[in-house]
């Protein structure tokens, strides 16, 4: 179901001109947040802007936004139907993601947006989004180990795939908190491409200090600094003052990334929960740092609701987040709409991994495929302490979908 390459997407888009300027964002972690920051700043500056990120959160079409609002289901299905018909008529055999990317780009063209903020789906060099011809700025976020079967077994090999979005004559913003070996790969590739000016957030120490003083976590500082730098490069004539931009980004809540919610609509009692889609070693380490700083200071025991996609390095994720005093319930998320290749890990395997890191068997629970039951068990185990939902964005999506359904039912 995942078949990287640009031939099929090129054929799908041969009748769809790119009439908008692209800001193209690659990376293992942080790229979605950078895209969210960028589109918020563009839209608030009066620039007509669209965004394409993946995966979707609740509905398949919410991965496409126009001026900060999800595209309507009607427009999405109409254009998707056209793209799928084109795929059938020309016998292209496009993948699900290629069809989705082509749908997004066709919508951007039809709605005459000025800028499109595009998140790479997987890798960079051979990702369908790299068919883009008119790039204004490229951004390479934090790089770590993930999707090794497609991108390579070392961070250096993965970095080379991510660097494939670089274009001659197009400035590239690079998160310089990456390992030195990763930065060297990107620098060497930029030299090979030629005519590429690399920009690093750390060159603006005053900006980093401002963001740190505002209370942003270290990884958020890097992501936001990358977004601000890319925004300045893409729109040099727009007001870039921090006094104007900071209030804009402060209002932004990127769902599923350190998102705090009250589970009352689902479980009928007030329960604070932290939702985070951390699904690889690097993002799990960041989540653990946040949880240890803000939650373990109040209680040594954390109650986790966990799920994972098959093929993920569950052991590495658990090694960062789990401590022996914790409580853990594991659950299996359902089928992901439009992404039939995504399969959930068996909850029993997650429980086994948790016990390997010292969690007592009596403090674990296998919730099967019942996300609501998992939240109810976690709430009882946590008492008056927060719970943390993590391991997969698809699990986060399931929780947010339950929230929406419960709130809709209560309004009715």
């Amino acid at each position: 179901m995942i078949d990287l390459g640009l031939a099929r997407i090129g054929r799908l888009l041969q009748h769809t001109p790119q009439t908008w300027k692209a800001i193209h964002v690659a990376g293992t972690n942080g790229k979605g947040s950078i895209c969210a920051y960028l589109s918020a700043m563009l839209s608030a500056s009066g620039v007509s802007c669209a965004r394409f990120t993946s995966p979707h959160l609740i509905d398949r079409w919410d991965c496409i936004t126009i001026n900060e609002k999800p595209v309507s289901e009607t427009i999405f299905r109409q254009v998707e139907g056209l793209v799928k018909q084109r795929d059938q008529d020309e016998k292209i055999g496009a993948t699900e993601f290629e069809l989705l990317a082509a749908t997004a780009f066709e919508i951007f063209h039809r709605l005459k947006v000025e800028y499109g903020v595009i998140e790479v789906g997987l890798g960079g060099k051979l990702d369908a989004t790299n068919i883009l011809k008119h790039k204004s700025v490229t951004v390479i976020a934090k790089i770590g180990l993930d999707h090794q079967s497609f991108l390579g077994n070392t961070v250096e090999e993965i970095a080379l795939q991510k660097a494939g979005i670089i274009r001659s004559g197009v400035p590239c913003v690079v998160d310089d908190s990456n390992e030195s070996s990763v930065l060297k790969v990107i620098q060497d590739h930029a030299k090979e491409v030629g005519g590429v000016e690399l920009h690093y957030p750390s060159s603006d120490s005053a900006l980093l200090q401002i963001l740190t003083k505002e209370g942003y976590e270290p990884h958020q500082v890097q992501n936001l600094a990358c977004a601000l730098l890319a925004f300045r490069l893409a729109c040099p004539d727009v007001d870039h003052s921090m006094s104007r931009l900071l209030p804009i980004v402060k209002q932004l809540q990127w769902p599923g990334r350190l998102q705090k919610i009250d589970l009352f609509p689902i479980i009928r009692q007030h329960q604070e929960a932290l939702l985070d889609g951390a699904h690889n070693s690097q993002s799990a380490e960041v989540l653990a740092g946040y949880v240890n700083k803000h939650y373990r200071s109040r209680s040594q025991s954390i109650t986790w609701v966990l799920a994972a996609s098959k093929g993920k390095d569950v052991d590495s994720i658990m090694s960062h987040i789990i401590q022996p005093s914790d409580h853990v319930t594991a659950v299996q998320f359902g089928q992901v709409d439009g992404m039939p290749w995504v399969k959930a890990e068996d909850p029993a395997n997650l429980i086994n991994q948790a016990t390997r890191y010292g969690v007592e068997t009596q403090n674990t629970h296998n919730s099967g495929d019942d996300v609501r039951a998992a939240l109810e068990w976690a709430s009882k185990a946590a008492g008056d302490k927060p719970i943390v939902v993590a391991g997969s964005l698809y699990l986060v999506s399931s929780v947010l979908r339950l929230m929406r359904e419960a709130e809709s039912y209560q309004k009715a």
Side-chain angles (χ1 to χ4, degrees), residues 1 5 40 72 105 120 144 216 222 243 258 282 305 345 349 353 378 387:
M1 291 293 183
S72 73
F105 295 173
V120 167
Y216 288 99
Q222 287 298 132
S243 60
L258 299 181
Q282 192 178 75
V305 178
E345 183 61 80
N349 293 337
Q353 289 283 4
I387 67 175

Side-chain angles (χ1 to χ4, degrees), residues 73-132:
E73 180 182 0
T74 301
I75 292 175
F76 175 82
R77 292 197 183 279
Q78 178 187 10
V79 176
E80 181 189 45
L82 178 146
V83 170
K84 287 184 173 181
Q85 190 62 51
R86 187 181 294 166
D87 179 58
Q88 291 177 8
D89 291 346
E90 300 185 22
K91 296 181 173 57
I92 297 172
T95 66
E96 292 279 356
F97 183 74
E98 289 164 348
L99 293 169
L100 185 61
T103 298
F105 295 173
E106 178 74 26
I107 289 172
F108 292 7
H109 167 60
R110 290 184 174 208
L111 298 185
K112 297 181 171 60
V113 300
E114 186 176 352
Y115 277 89
V117 179
I118 311 298
E119 178 187 12
V120 167
L122 180 63
K125 179 181 179 181
L126 297 176
D127 184 73
T129 63
N130 207 28
I131 199 68
L132 294 166

Side-chain angles (χ1 to χ4, degrees), residues 162-237:
K162 308 285 186 186
I165 69 168
I166 290 174
R167 293 289 185 274
S168 180
V170 177
C172 178
V173 175
V174 181
D175 183 339
D176 48 353
S177 70
N178 275 298
E179 296 176 24
S180 58
S181 60
V182 165
L183 296 176
K184 185 176 187 308
V185 168
I186 296 169
Q187 291 159 358
D188 288 347
H189 184 73
K191 287 178 184 176
E192 185 180 326
V193 170
V196 181
E197 190 172 346
L198 300 179
H199 299 261
Y200 302 99
S202 66
S203 61
D204 191 344
S205 58
L207 170 62
L208 298 183
Q209 288 176 0
I210 290 172
L211 297 179
T212 300
K213 286 180 181 178
E214 288 292 329
Y216 288 99
E217 298 297 317
H219 71 287
Q220 293 173 323
V221 168
Q222 287 298 132
N223 292 338
L224 186 46
C226 284
L228 285 162
L229 188 47
F231 176 67
R232 291 170 179 169
L233 290 166
C235 302
D237 299 326

Side-chain angles (χ1 to χ4, degrees), residues 20-320:
W20 42 277
K21 291 170 280 190
I23 302 178
H24 201 195
V25 185
T28 307
N29 295 301
K31 60 185 186 294
S33 297
I34 290 171
C35 288
Y37 289 137
L38 274 166
S39 63
M41 288 186 282
L42 287 164
S43 185
S45 301
V47 179
S48 175
C49 168
R51 184 178 72 225
F52 174 53
T53 53
S54 61
H56 64 271
L57 198 62
I58 299 177
D59 300 309
R60 218 152 40 86
W61 48 91
D62 68 27
C63 63
I64 301 169
T65 66
I66 307 296
N67 295 322
E68 295 301 272
K69 294 182 180 178
V71 70
S72 73
E73 180 182 0
T74 301
I75 292 175
F76 175 82
R77 292 197 183 279
Q78 178 187 10
V79 176
E80 181 189 45
L82 178 146
V83 170
K84 287 184 173 181
Q85 190 62 51
R86 187 181 294 166
D87 179 58
Q88 291 177 8
D89 291 346
E90 300 185 22
K91 296 181 173 57
I92 297 172
T95 66
E96 292 279 356
F97 183 74
E98 289 164 348
L99 293 169
L100 185 61
T103 298
F105 295 173
E106 178 74 26
I107 289 172
F108 292 7
H109 167 60
R110 290 184 174 208
L111 298 185
K112 297 181 171 60
V113 300
E114 186 176 352
Y115 277 89
V117 179
I118 311 298
E119 178 187 12
V120 167
L122 180 63
K125 179 181 179 181
L126 297 176
D127 184 73
T129 63
N130 207 28
I131 199 68
L132 294 166
K133 291 182 171 60
H134 307 298
K135 298 186 184 185
S136 176
V137 181
T138 58
V139 183
I140 300 178
K142 194 77 171 184
I143 294 174
L145 292 175
D146 204 359
H147 302 293
Q148 290 96 311
S149 60
F150 295 98
L151 305 178
N153 292 318
T154 67
V155 287
E156 292 79 18
E157 290 175 307
I158 293 172
L160 186 58
Q161 291 295 317
K162 308 285 186 186
I165 69 168
I166 290 174
R167 293 289 185 274
S168 180
V170 177
C172 178
V173 175
V174 181
D175 183 339
D176 48 353
S177 70
N178 275 298
E179 296 176 24
S180 58
S181 60
V182 165
L183 296 176
K184 185 176 187 308
V185 168
I186 296 169
Q187 291 159 358
D188 288 347
H189 184 73
K191 287 178 184 176
E192 185 180 326
V193 170
V196 181
E197 190 172 346
L198 300 179
H199 299 261
Y200 302 99
S202 66
S203 61
D204 191 344
S205 58
L207 170 62
L208 298 183
Q209 288 176 0
I210 290 172
L211 297 179
T212 300
K213 286 180 181 178
E214 288 292 329
Y216 288 99
E217 298 297 317
H219 71 287
Q220 293 173 323
V221 168
Q222 287 298 132
N223 292 338
L224 186 46
C226 284
L228 285 162
L229 188 47
F231 176 67
R232 291 170 179 169
L233 290 166
C235 302
D237 299 326
V238 174
D239 180 5
H240 304 135
S241 64
M242 291 304 296
S243 60
R244 187 182 77 86
L245 294 177
L246 260 182
I248 295 169
V249 296
K250 277 185 175 180
Q251 294 174 14
L252 179 70
Q253 170 65 68
W254 187 225
R257 281 77 169 182
L258 299 181
Q259 179 184 6
K260 295 177 182 177
I261 64 170
D262 184 349
L263 293 174
F264 181 82
I266 302 175
I267 64 176
R268 307 308 299 159
Q269 65 182 54
H270 292 290
Q271 175 65 61
E272 181 185 340
L274 179 73
L275 308 185
D276 195 274
H279 59 277
N280 54 47
S281 180
Q282 192 178 75
S283 57
E285 185 176 10
V286 168
L287 173 60
Y290 181 89
V291 168
N292 293 344
K293 176 181 176 182
H294 296 280
Y295 290 174
R296 290 200 193 273
S297 59
R298 286 184 268 163
S299 168
Q300 286 303 304
S301 174
I302 300 295
T303 300
W304 300 89
V305 178
L306 300 176
S309 299
K310 278 189 179 297
K312 291 296 182 183
D313 187 354
V314 173
D315 180 69
S316 182
I317 293 171
M318 294 279 194
S319 71
H320 291 297

